[in-house]
Amino acid sequence: MDFDRYDHIRPIRWHDGMLSLLDQRKLPFTVQYLDCRSSHEVSQAIRDLVVRGAPAIGIAAAFGVVLAADGVDAATGAAAMQAMEPRIVELNAARPTAVNLMWAIARMRGVLATAGANWRYAIESEATAIEREDLAANRHMGELGANLISPGSGVLTHCNTGSLATAGFGTALGVIRAGVAMDRIQRVYAGETRPWLQGARLTVWELREDGIPATLIADAAGAHLMKTGVVQWLIVGADRICANGDTANKIGTYAHAISARHHGVKVMVVAPASTVDMATARGEDIHIEERDGAELLSMSGVRTVADGVSAFNPVFDVTPAGLIDALVTERGVIEHPDGEKMAAMFGPVSRA
Ligand code: MRU
């Protein structure tokens, strides 16, 4: 299937020894890349949401490790890794929930541990491979997921899981791109995703850029759409999928999944195997990131809440495996995921 027509945006560019990141704080009205020349700048960009979305964070961190080698003089990868350690630790801690970050750093460490004198070349090749593999996985998942959807369907998505959140094409949004290209999806709805507005500022922008008509809804309108039969699938991404299939994703996903089950709407989670964390047994064990409550107290820099009011801002929630109808990764589709099916596909991997 040729999906090129619907795939133009690239948020991460590695060139001339620096990492250019499409600054997602400024979209949709300013399209501007921020150049990172040090691993510290990459860590900061991840923390500040210049780059965001689980797979994109992992890819950026991998190139961050390449930048962490700056000024390091070492004869082997292992010696270089020792010198780079504080910078690698800073990258690893940039955000806590998306496991793709730790996965990518672990992969880069693995290369450093065994590389000889050519360690610089080895880590740059590895970061490039992580990016290339992510794009290929997304294209494959797109087709696998779209095949589950009956022609004429309406779909609802949450947050931004598109090209902006990955090497390109996207995970849940990749399924939507493929579903539109394959004439299976007729209506696309995207929730705003309060408070950072990944849906309103990013998802509908990137779909419009790629010529896919999408309709924005308030997050609270999701249940109404399901009740009135407008959507047949909720399609979302993931930041961490546990050994029992429990899945962390953007805050609000859990509420949509409960509504979906109540109304007979199916739930599809789409994520590469790099989002699967077999070392975390269940959702309760996931560290849920909390961001500054200030994100809730104003809009576009204008305070909307009375002075003296505080806010609680957890930015992810966990959808229990029991609410998921299909988990799509590049390795295949698991219907109604549970511990046994997860272990059969991903093995008892440990990240210790
Ligand atoms: O806080 P964000 O914008 O990084 O959160 C992103 C999400 O929750 C996405 O749904 C998830 O990372 C999957 S992106 C393919």
Side-chain angles (χ1 to χ4, degrees):
M1 193 85 199
D2 178 21
F3 295 139
D4 285 348
R5 176 176 162 206
Y6 296 112
D7 185 18
H8 297 102
I9 297 159
R10 294 290 177 268
I12 299 170
R13 291 183 187 156
W14 174 250
H15 61 105
D16 307 316
M18 69 178 166
L19 188 66
S20 297
L21 299 171
L22 180 51
D23 193 338
Q24 304 195 24
R25 298 167 304 180
K26 299 190 169 162
L27 289 169
F29 298 117
T30 305
V31 180
Q32 194 176 76
Y33 283 79
L34 178 84
D35 296 334
C36 298
R37 293 182 173 80
S38 70
S39 67
H40 177 68
E41 286 175 359
V42 175
S43 302
Q44 194 68 45
I46 293 171
R47 268 198 301 273
D48 292 347
L49 309 182
V50 172
V51 60
R52 41 132 315 272
I57 292 170
I59 296 162
F63 285 112
V65 172
V66 179
L67 289 171
D70 235 34
V72 171
D73 185 17
T76 66
M81 183 155 63
Q82 212 170 4
M84 290 155 67
E85 192 58 24
R87 296 172 181 172
I88 296 178
V89 167
E90 186 193 22
L91 282 165
N92 205 53
R95 288 191 74 188
T97 304
V99 76
N100 307 60
L101 170 63
M102 300 83 191
W103 170 87
I105 300 263
R107 200 167 141 172
M108 297 300 283
R109 280 186 190 280
V111 169
L112 276 168
T114 54
N118 69 342
W119 62 270
R120 272 181 205 283
Y121 172 77
I123 54 174
E124 187 169 345
S125 307
E126 191 70 3
T128 308
I130 288 173
E131 182 178 23
R132 192 180 54 242
E133 288 166 21
D134 186 64
L135 181 58
N138 292 339
R139 295 279 185 112
H140 184 46
M141 293 189 294
E143 199 154 0
L144 289 176
N147 277 325
L148 302 174
I149 299 170
S150 305
S153 294
V155 301
L156 170 64
T157 190
H158 188 58
C159 194
N160 174 269
T161 62
S163 297
L164 290 169
T166 60
F169 203 65
T171 58
L173 227 50
V175 168
I176 291 176
R177 280 187 163 87
V180 168
M182 292 160 69
D183 259 343
R184 288 174 174 266
I185 294 178
Q186 213 162 61
R187 300 170 299 280
V188 180
Y189 292 88
E192 282 180 297
T193 319
R194 286 276 294 150
W196 210 71
L197 301 179
Q198 285 92 336
R201 295 193 305 103
L202 308 177
T203 297
V204 289
W205 173 78
E206 80 160 76
L207 289 176
R208 198 206 58 188
E209 290 295 295
D210 276 345
I212 297 174
T215 304
L216 183 68
I217 60 162
D219 295 323
H224 177 71
L225 257 68
M226 295 175 191
K227 187 179 184 191
T228 51
V230 175
V231 295
Q232 283 65 50
W233 279 93
L234 169 69
I235 309 180
V236 295
D239 287 83
R240 193 182 288 246
I241 301 168
C242 300
N244 70 349
D246 289 354
T247 294
N249 191 49
K250 181 53 56 190
I251 191 80
T253 304
Y254 176 44
H256 280 326
I258 291 171
S259 297
R261 176 57 54 91
H262 183 76
H263 294 106
V265 166
K266 294 214 169 148
V267 176
M268 189 190 304
V269 172
V270 190
S274 54
T275 308
V276 173
D277 178 9
M278 295 300 284
T280 297
R282 55 190 195 283
E284 290 85 341
D285 300 331
I286 298 175
H287 177 172
I288 299 292
E289 178 181 1
E290 284 173 31
R291 293 186 76 87
D292 194 339
E295 287 180 356
L296 285 161
L297 301 175
S298 54
M299 290 194 84
S300 309
V302 178
R303 177 110 187 172
T304 51
V305 178
D307 287 337
V309 174
S310 62
F312 172 49
N313 188 19
V315 297
F316 297 100
D317 58 26
V318 175
T319 298
L323 292 178
I324 298 169
D325 293 284
L327 169 61
V328 178
T329 75
E330 73 275 29
R331 297 197 192 168
V333 177
I334 299 181
E335 289 188 25
H336 307 291
D338 60 22
E340 211 171 299
K341 294 177 191 171
M342 291 292 292
M345 188 167 284
F346 299 104
V349 184
S350 169
R351 274 195 186 82

